[in-house]
Amino acid sequence: MEWLSRREAVRLLELIDASRSCADMERLKRLFYSLNDLLSFDMAVCGTARFDGAGTMNAQQIINISYPEEWLGLYAERDFAAVDPVVRAHIAEFSAKPWSDAYLKWGRPQPFLSLAEDFGIRKGYSFGALSSTDRTASIFSLCVSEKNPVHTPQILDILAPYFHEALRRTVQADLSSACLATLTPREIEVISWLANGKNYWEISVILGIIERTVKFHTSTIVQKLGAANRSHAVAIAISTGLISLA
């Protein structure tokens, strides 16, 4: 990595070290503020998504670092992720790149780009990674106005796996806290027994309730966890530490 200056190399190592202990929102935001010491950017946003076996993206989670909330609201409301060239290019190839590369390959859809420009979002970089084990993808978008080093994509590619894991830990911790706050004690009992392989009838006998009530609790759990089905809900509960296998 002879293209790195001594200062860049030191800051890169510091960022990698900081990312390893990042597991909550406050530390994640501090990590991005530290990144600004290495690369110049004005706004940052990141998110995760999970791909199923058919390649469909679901279970999306967005964490805003410094983007305008109004723009993110419009982005979600109008489902701009479906037409955003940066997202499409990122899914096609998980490597760091300037947004201009994505526009060259995937076009410049209107009114998406016109609205983005109204918020000062014109140029930037995206980077991230894909976990082969659970097909969880991350994307980090940096909006820039100043010129950055030509080797910025290489720097971001080095940081990508570390930031990816830091974001995953943060999302899991955030989701776990939300789950604990929203699932009732009875729902936690039901999801725990589902995770241990019990069917509806067996759980009804164990908990002393009718089978229809178990099904009702399961449906509520799936909805609260934003899961696609019962198995997905169990996976979320285990991965976030909400429950553990006996």
Side-chain angles (χ1 to χ4, degrees), residues 20 22 42 56 80 99 104 139 161 196 200 226 232 242:
R20 287 172 173 164
C22 179
D42 304 314
T56 303
F80 280 147
W99 295 352
L104 283 174
I139 182 170
N196 281 281
Y200 291 140
H232 188 198
L242 178 62

Side-chain angles (χ1 to χ4, degrees), residues 46-123:
C46 55
T48 64
R50 182 166 292 175
F51 292 87
D52 60 23
T56 303
M57 186 170 64
N58 50 46
Q60 299 177 58
Q61 178 106 4
I62 303 299
I63 293 180
N64 187 23
I65 305 299
S66 54
Y67 261 59
E69 289 289 349
E70 185 182 354
W71 164 245
L72 294 181
L74 280 172
Y75 192 96
E77 178 186 330
R78 303 192 184 187
D79 193 25
F80 280 147
V83 299
D84 188 344
V86 171
V87 172
R88 297 176 71 183
H90 187 68
I91 293 173
E93 182 184 7
F94 288 90
S95 62
K97 58 181 68 67
W99 295 352
S100 56
D101 285 5
Y103 298 150
L104 283 174
K105 184 171 182 178
W106 298 95
R108 301 177 62 88
Q110 302 294 339
F112 166 67
L113 286 181
S114 293
L115 281 172
E117 289 178 359
D118 289 342
F119 287 90
I121 302 168
R122 298 178 179 85
K123 298 185 296 182

Side-chain angles (χ1 to χ4, degrees), residues 179-225:
C179 291
L180 286 170
T182 59
L183 290 190
T184 66
R186 178 64 87 190
E187 288 165 353
I188 291 176
E189 284 182 315
V190 170
I191 192 72
S192 296
W193 285 117
L194 286 170
N196 281 281
K198 302 299 183 183
N199 59 35
Y200 291 140
W201 180 82
E202 290 170 326
I203 295 173
S204 71
V205 172
I206 293 169
L207 298 182
I209 56 180
I210 63 175
E211 188 174 349
R212 185 171 60 189
T213 301
V214 177
K215 292 180 180 179
F216 172 77
H217 284 313
T218 302
S219 176
T220 302
I221 290 166
V222 168
Q223 182 179 11
K224 284 184 176 181
L225 298 187

Side-chain angles (χ1 to χ4, degrees), residues 121-176:
I121 302 168
R122 298 178 179 85
K123 298 185 296 182
Y125 296 90
S126 66
F127 66 107
L130 175 67
S131 297
S132 58
T133 51
D134 62 1
R135 303 290 293 168
T136 295
S138 64
I139 182 170
F140 303 85
S141 282
L142 307 176
C143 177
V144 306
S145 58
E146 298 181 17
K147 188 175 182 180
N148 276 286
V150 293
H151 51 264
T152 292
Q154 287 89 334
I155 291 175
L156 295 176
D157 271 333
I158 292 172
L159 290 173
Y162 301 99
F163 274 54
H164 174 79
E165 291 303 321
L167 178 59
R168 287 187 68 194
R169 289 192 297 270
T170 299
V171 168
Q172 287 174 354
D174 192 48
L175 181 56
S176 180

